[in-house]
Amino acid sequence: MATLVDNYEQQYAVLTADITAKISRIAIVNGSEKRGLIQDVDRQVEEAQELLEQMELEVRGMSGTARDRLRGRVESHRAELKRLTQEFQSAKRSKDDGNEEGLDESWDTSITIDQRRRLLDNSDRVERTGRNIQNGYRMILETEEIGSQVLKDLHDQRETIQRTRGRLRETDAELGRGSRLLSGMIFRALQQRIALAMVALVLIIAACFVIYYSFKSKG
């Protein structure tokens, strides 16, 4: 959620920097260009207010020190937007009053210098925000590259495991055939031993009969 608030703050910083730049131009242009700038700033001020409302909604869903810290930042942004709105109204009035009543040139110059200073400050902030966005994008690309490599490694490991599993199945099948073959050989060996035992028994019995009848005939 804090990341979402950070994204809102980045959008807000870019938006207020553009508003500041346009306010400084409103005081020095006329006609349709001025009307176009005024319409743009009106729309952008509304967008900035909507961003602040979104930030406030996100902050309300938080708890602990993070909520207090972000709430202070949102209040600071709202105070900044209020100041920009006042400058915007002043810029709209200053040009009209200057055309009708002829405002003092040094006063206009001081306003322009102050606006330029704020514009430079906001430009620096936008530049820092841009660098942060670029760094974040680079980190995302690096993370994506690492993730792709991890997925590739996992895919290779999966293929290795599948090949090993296939070899294990083949080994099990060979062991099964060998076991059946060995069981058959043992069974045949037992059959042969039984047959030999029976033959030996028959021979012993026959010998006993021969000996018996031999002694009987002598007696």
Side-chain angles (χ1 to χ4, degrees), residues 5-197:
V5 174
D6 292 337
N7 292 334
Y8 286 147
E9 285 187 314
Q10 292 177 359
Q11 297 177 29
Y12 175 81
V14 174
L15 193 59
T16 52
D18 194 27
I19 290 173
T20 302
K22 289 179 179 177
I23 288 175
S24 64
R25 291 181 57 195
I26 287 174
I28 58 176
V29 298
N30 293 313
S32 60
E33 185 177 0
K34 178 179 179 179
R35 288 192 296 271
L37 288 173
I38 291 174
Q39 292 176 355
D40 289 343
V41 173
D42 281 331
R43 176 180 53 80
Q44 289 178 323
V45 167
E46 291 179 359
E47 291 179 3
Q49 290 175 346
E50 291 177 358
L51 284 173
L52 289 177
E53 291 175 358
Q54 291 294 329
M55 282 189 271
E56 288 177 345
L57 289 175
E58 295 296 332
V59 170
R60 288 174 188 172
M62 296 181 179
S63 60
T65 57
R67 181 180 62 183
D68 297 335
R69 176 174 54 83
L70 292 175
R71 180 179 295 171
R73 281 160 53 179
V74 172
E75 291 176 355
S76 176
H77 295 326
R78 187 167 291 282
E80 180 185 13
L81 182 60
K82 182 178 179 181
R83 177 183 60 78
L84 285 176
T85 303
Q86 292 174 350
E87 291 180 0
F88 174 48
Q89 299 299 329
S90 176
K92 289 194 295 185
R93 291 194 302 268
S94 64
K95 187 64 181 178
D96 295 335
D97 294 342
N99 290 335
E100 296 175 1
E101 300 177 4
L103 292 177
D104 184 73
E105 184 177 356
S106 62
W107 186 78
D108 289 338
T109 303
S110 65
I111 290 180
T112 303
I113 292 174
D114 185 60
Q115 289 174 343
R116 287 178 179 175
R117 179 181 57 79
R118 286 194 296 271
L119 177 60
L120 290 174
D121 292 339
N122 282 279
S123 297
D124 291 338
R125 183 172 59 182
V126 170
E127 185 177 355
R128 289 193 300 269
T129 302
R131 286 196 298 268
N132 291 333
I133 293 174
Q134 290 177 353
N135 292 333
Y137 182 69
R138 185 172 62 254
M139 291 178 61
I140 291 173
L141 291 179
E142 292 175 354
T143 303
E144 183 179 0
E145 183 178 357
I146 294 173
S148 299
Q149 184 63 39
V150 170
L151 289 176
K152 182 177 180 299
D153 293 340
L154 290 175
H155 179 70
D156 294 340
Q157 292 175 4
R158 180 183 178 184
E159 291 182 348
T160 302
I161 291 172
Q162 288 178 345
R163 288 194 298 269
T164 303
R165 187 177 297 172
R167 285 194 294 268
L168 287 174
R169 291 197 187 100
E170 294 176 357
T171 303
D172 288 340
E174 293 293 335
L175 289 174
R177 286 193 294 269
S179 178
R180 288 193 297 272
L181 180 61
L182 182 60
S183 297
M185 293 174 63
I186 292 173
F187 181 72
R188 284 193 295 271
L190 289 175
Q191 285 181 332
Q192 291 176 357
R193 289 185 179 182
I194 292 173
L196 289 174

